Amino acid sequence: MAEYKRPQNEQEFNNNFKDKTPLMNDTQAYYESSRCLFCYDAPCMNACPTSIDIPLFIKQIHTGNTEGAAKTIYDSNWIGNACGTVCPTGVLCEGVCVYNNQDVPPLQIGRLQNFATRTVIDSGKQLYKPGPDNGKKIAIIGGGPAGIACACELRTLGYTADIFEAKDKPSGLTVYGIAPYKISNEEVLDEVQYLQDQLGFNITYNSA
């Protein structure tokens, strides 16, 4: 077993926490998306806990419609970027990719998902807007992934959504329970802010 060497300075510490799978660039995403066979029974989609239409968003990436790909992802999963990063794709969508039966590396679905979602987060592209105000208000206890997703869904239906979070940051386990070499707090918070800017839900912190 290799000996662990304690970081001696900030640069060495930061190197230890670099992303193991960095964000794809346009060329890498185009090439990787071209590998998809668009299986008629889409085992990857069936293995996805949130039933994202994986063949569709991959096709959209390949044809240059990255914003459409991001919307396909977010239509099924409001925290699509965080999930694409931390989800155990190796035992879910990528684990059932038919390429595994041919001794060929499976399609990098998680990285393609991150490529699409990060593109719209970084650009601030408007994909959603609140539904017509129906005059009703709903309080949500907890600003974790479920609370954020609930607020997003309610806003599209015209409800005023107020989240009450006990801690001083949103997204619960994604911020407080996942190692930073998998996903940084900044990336998690960027996605929450992106959704909040588009849909206008409220979060009150330190409200235990």
Side-chain angles (χ1 to χ4, degrees):
M1 180 181 292
E3 180 182 357
Y4 172 75
K5 295 183 179 180
R6 184 182 181 88
Q8 299 300 309
N9 53 53
E10 184 175 354
Q11 182 61 48
E12 289 184 4
F13 180 86
N14 289 335
N15 286 340
N16 283 351
F17 284 86
K18 282 184 177 178
D19 288 340
K20 292 183 178 179
T21 52
L23 192 67
M24 287 181 172
N25 59 36
D26 291 353
T27 302
Q28 291 169 326
Y30 178 83
Y31 170 75
E32 188 64 18
S33 61
S34 73
R35 297 179 59 225
C36 185
L37 301 176
F38 306 106
C39 306
Y40 76 94
D41 56 350
C44 55
M45 183 175 174
N46 293 330
C48 177
T50 58
S51 300
I52 295 173
D53 193 335
I54 294 170
L56 175 58
F57 89 67
I58 290 176
K59 183 69 172 180
Q60 289 169 314
I61 289 173
H62 188 62
T63 56
N65 184 12
T66 307
E67 294 169 0
K71 190 171 188 307
T72 296
I73 294 162
Y74 279 121
D75 281 349
S76 292
N77 186 343
W78 284 111
I79 52 170
N81 184 69
C83 281
T85 304
V86 305
C87 182
T89 54
V91 296
L92 293 172
C93 55
E94 294 175 17
V96 298
C97 178
V98 296
Y99 277 127
N100 290 302
N101 300 325
Q102 305 171 33
D103 294 325
V104 175
L107 205 65
Q108 298 180 66
I109 297 169
R111 292 187 69 197
L112 286 169
Q113 182 168 324
N114 284 143
F115 170 78
T117 52
R118 280 304 313 186
T119 296
V120 296
I121 291 171
D122 291 343
S123 69
K125 176 65 179 179
Q126 185 79 30
L127 296 181
Y128 297 94
K129 60 182 180 180
D133 188 356
N134 61 21
K136 298 179 180 179
K137 298 181 179 181
I138 294 180
I140 300 166
I141 307 303
I148 297 294
C150 182
C152 290
E153 197 69 24
L154 288 170
R155 289 298 291 141
T156 64
L157 298 173
Y159 293 89
T160 296
D162 293 292
I163 297 174
F164 294 90
E165 168 57 43
K167 297 184 181 295
D168 60 356
K169 292 184 179 66
S171 212
L173 183 64
T174 322
V175 164
Y176 294 101
I178 295 178
Y181 62 80
K182 288 185 175 289
I183 189 169
S184 68
N185 283 355
E186 290 77 14
E187 187 172 355
V188 174
L189 298 176
D190 282 349
E191 182 169 45
V192 174
Q193 189 62 57
Y194 172 72
L195 296 170
Q196 197 170 8
D197 288 344
Q198 296 211 20
L199 292 167
F201 54 87
N202 307 306
I203 306 178
T204 302
Y205 298 106
N206 302 308
S207 57

